[in-house]
Each structure stands twice: as structure tokens, then as C-alpha cells.
Amino acid sequence: MSKAIDTTLAPQYFQKFPVHIHKDEPVVKEGSSAAVKMFERLVPEKDTRSHAVGPYGDAYAICYPEGDTEKTKLAGEIIEALWMYDDIIEALPHDEAALEHATVKQMLAGNKDGKAPGRKTLMTSIFRDARDRMMALDPKGSPWMIGVLRQYLTEYDGNDNTYNDIEEYATFRTLNVGFRIMSGFMQWTTDIYLNEEETQITKDFYMASGRVMALTNDYWSWEMEKRESIDRSAGIRNAIPVLMKQFSLNEKDAKIFAKGLTVDAEEYMWKLGLDLKKTGSETIKKYVDAMILLMGGSGFWSATCPRYNTAQK
């Protein structure tokens, strides 16, 4: 049973999603910590700032508070490794980044011995055993989740476009922000799998949830991204500069605009979720509840974490 976090202790958290933390948070934390240590060993010259550290606990323990402990621990390790891996290859030209993603996709497909197309074999080797470890914990659900991972890697760097329209950008960012990964592991850790009909019924709710995560992440990560400017030649991938350009806004007003878009997206997601809970199957009801906790965990961590809110050394 997870424990509720009092979000009033962090007044900057402006969303209304409930936030819980996993009962075995210290165990879950071992997963993300292992990924950080692995990258520090394999790529010591790179900055391996944690994507999980926060004042209220491990990010994955907050995003997946009702997940199976061992699966949540492994999910945190894999996601943390993906985020740090993306931090490193963000500086690469698009073609080179695509090759690195192809390397990881081969490993997730079970091809450990073939020649990897990417060059950074040490960096990508962290994913070598991910498939086997997932299958050992959940032989039935893991093939689906591995497919989600491989699809994400295909979509993530599918283009190097710039965007001048917030709606076009938000559509792109819903895929690029990693929502497919985060929501997929939410289902994997809780054993919530939708059939084809349920997937179709929840499609609008799924896309609305992705929009919330995309806009929320952009809002809170902007100060870090603006300061570091680490993205590729396409420029910083964030809603705020898109809004500045599209509507000729200064930075402060664009942030307020982005915050309003986030609140509007959340309201729409809540409405769709409530409607599904009135008419949907028991599986759909569990899915909606777990997604709401994921949105709360993701947003609350972003609003409070040192990665986005203070200079982290």
C-alpha cells in the first residue's frame, strides 16, 4: 500500500493530481542508483546527473507507487539508464543518434552478439541484459513492454524538425517526452494490460495524458534547458520558445502561457478519466487510477527535483 504525499508542502506544485510514494521506496531507489553508478563507470567523462533524486523520494517510487516492488525497481533502472543515455547522445548529429538508438533496439530484440551499428558500445551495453531480466520477472507481459521500448526508440529521434506552432509541437512532444515509456512501465509494474477494445476506448485519455506530461515537463525543465542549451542543431525542444516565437511573447509571459496550457490539458484529462471510470471495465478503472498517480508523480517530482529547480553538481 502506497503512502500519500502532502503536496501542500510544495506550493509550487500547481496541479491537482494526487501524489503517492511506494511503500518500498528504499528498494525501488536501488534501481535508479544502479543505473547512475553504471554510467559513472562506463562513461566517467560525462555528467551523470540523476533523473530520480528528489526531496520527497525516488522519482520512480513516486511515479509507480502501486507497482510490484521488484518490477518497479527494474523499471527505474531501465528508465534512468535511458534518460542518461539520451542526455549523452542529445549532442550528437541526428544520423549518429539514430545509429545509437538502433544499437539499443538490437539489444532489446535479443541480439547481443551481432555487430552493433552504433559506435558507443560501452555506453549502450547497459541495456544488454534488460530483456532477459524483464522476462524473468514477467514472461507474459514483458514482450509487450519490450515492444514499447523499441517503438519509443524509433519515435524519439524520428525527426530533427523545428516547430513554430504550439499544437504541432505538442503533438510531437507527446511522443518525444518519453510518455510512451513512462505509461508503458506503469502498466508493466502494475500488471494492467488492456485488450484491443479497451485500448481503443482509452485512446483519447491516453493522448490527453501524454499532452499533460509533455507540457508539464517542458514547464519545469525550461530553466535548466535554457541554461545548458545541450540540444542538437534543431534547438532546444521546449514549448516556451515555441510560444515566444509564435505569439511574440517575452519569456515570462510565455511561461505563464505554458502553465495555462498545462492546466487546461489536465482538466481535459480529468474529464476523460472520470467518464471512463463511470462506464469502463474494471481494468480500465485501474488503468485510469494508475495513470493519474503517474501524472501526479511525474509532475510533483518535476516541480521539486534539484535537476530542474536548483544547480545540481
Side-chain angles (χ1 to χ4, degrees):
M1 192 66 136
S2 62
K3 179 182 178 182
I5 293 177
D6 182 2
T7 59
T8 63
L9 298 174
Q12 71 272 27
Y13 175 68
F14 58 84
Q15 296 172 278
K16 61 183 179 183
F17 296 114
V19 181
H20 288 208
I21 190 164
H22 201 287
K23 64 180 178 61
D24 295 324
E25 189 272 346
V27 177
V28 172
K29 184 178 179 180
E30 293 173 4
S32 58
S33 297
V36 172
K37 290 176 182 176
M38 172 98 44
F39 262 86
E40 287 175 343
R41 184 170 73 253
L42 295 177
V43 199
E45 73 277 11
K46 297 295 184 180
D47 180 10
T48 51
R49 292 181 306 164
S50 172
H51 289 254
V53 169
Y56 295 90
D58 180 83
Y60 308 106
I62 295 174
C63 287
Y64 308 128
E66 300 295 340
D68 171 82
T69 299
E70 288 303 315
K71 290 171 76 173
T72 304
K73 175 183 171 183
L74 180 55
E77 182 177 347
I78 294 171
I79 300 169
E80 186 76 356
L82 276 171
W83 292 172
M84 288 188 295
Y85 165 76
D86 283 339
D87 282 346
I88 293 170
I89 68 167
E90 269 185 329
L92 296 177
H94 178 257
D95 290 346
E96 290 186 33
L99 286 177
E100 298 304 325
H101 280 332
T103 302
V104 178
K105 284 193 288 184
Q106 277 195 8
M107 292 177 177
L108 291 171
N111 181 8
K112 302 178 186 179
D113 303 319
K115 244 185 183 179
R119 295 179 304 170
K120 296 177 174 57
T121 53
L122 280 178
M123 191 169 70
T124 53
S125 65
I126 192 171
F127 303 107
R128 188 173 300 277
D129 297 323
R131 178 188 180 92
D132 291 346
R133 294 170 66 194
M134 290 176 67
M135 291 295 294
L137 287 176
D138 182 2
K140 184 177 180 180
S142 291
W144 172 81
M145 186 61 225
I146 291 165
V148 171
L149 282 165
R150 299 186 75 230
Q151 184 175 1
Y152 163 76
L153 289 165
T154 299
E155 293 171 341
Y156 181 79
D157 276 305
N159 70 69
D160 210 19
N161 297 339
T162 56
Y163 293 88
N164 301 317
D165 179 89
I166 188 60
E167 287 305 318
E168 290 182 4
Y169 170 79
T171 299
F172 154 78
R173 188 63 170 149
T174 297
L175 297 175
N176 176 268
V177 75
F179 172 67
R180 187 182 298 281
I181 293 294
M182 294 297 290
S183 62
F185 272 115
M186 174 272 287
Q187 293 183 246
W188 187 72
T189 58
T190 55
D191 294 317
I192 299 174
Y193 299 111
L194 306 176
N195 61 33
E196 187 173 342
E197 180 183 4
E198 290 167 334
T199 298
Q200 187 62 34
I201 291 171
T202 58
K203 183 178 179 180
D204 289 344
F205 174 76
Y206 174 86
M207 293 303 297
S209 301
R211 183 182 177 94
V212 170
M213 182 175 285
L215 292 171
T216 302
N217 180 268
D218 277 11
Y219 179 83
W220 288 111
S221 66
W222 167 243
E223 295 299 328
M224 179 196 74
E225 292 179 9
K226 176 183 67 173
R227 185 171 62 247
E228 298 184 354
S229 300
I230 58 174
D231 219 324
R232 295 192 298 272
S233 58
I236 298 172
R237 293 279 173 80
N238 192 289
I240 290 170
V242 176
L243 291 167
M244 290 172 68
K245 186 173 183 179
Q246 183 177 356
F247 298 105
S248 301
L249 298 173
N250 61 41
E251 181 185 340
K252 182 179 179 181
D253 288 344
K255 284 190 70 174
I256 293 171
F257 198 153
K259 188 174 185 178
L261 288 175
T262 303
V263 172
D264 182 69
E266 178 181 343
E267 289 176 358
Y268 181 59
M269 178 196 160
W270 268 110
K271 180 183 183 304
L272 293 177
L274 289 173
D275 289 345
L276 286 171
K277 290 189 70 173
K278 290 177 184 175
T279 60
S281 65
E282 288 302 312
T283 300
I284 286 177
K285 292 174 184 177
K286 291 178 182 178
Y287 173 79
V288 170
D289 287 340
M291 185 72 83
I292 286 172
L293 287 175
L294 170 58
M295 291 298 106
S298 174
F300 187 73
W301 180 83
S302 296
T304 59
C305 69
R307 179 178 178 84
Y308 293 160
N309 297 283
T310 61
Q312 187 183 17
K313 302 296 184 184

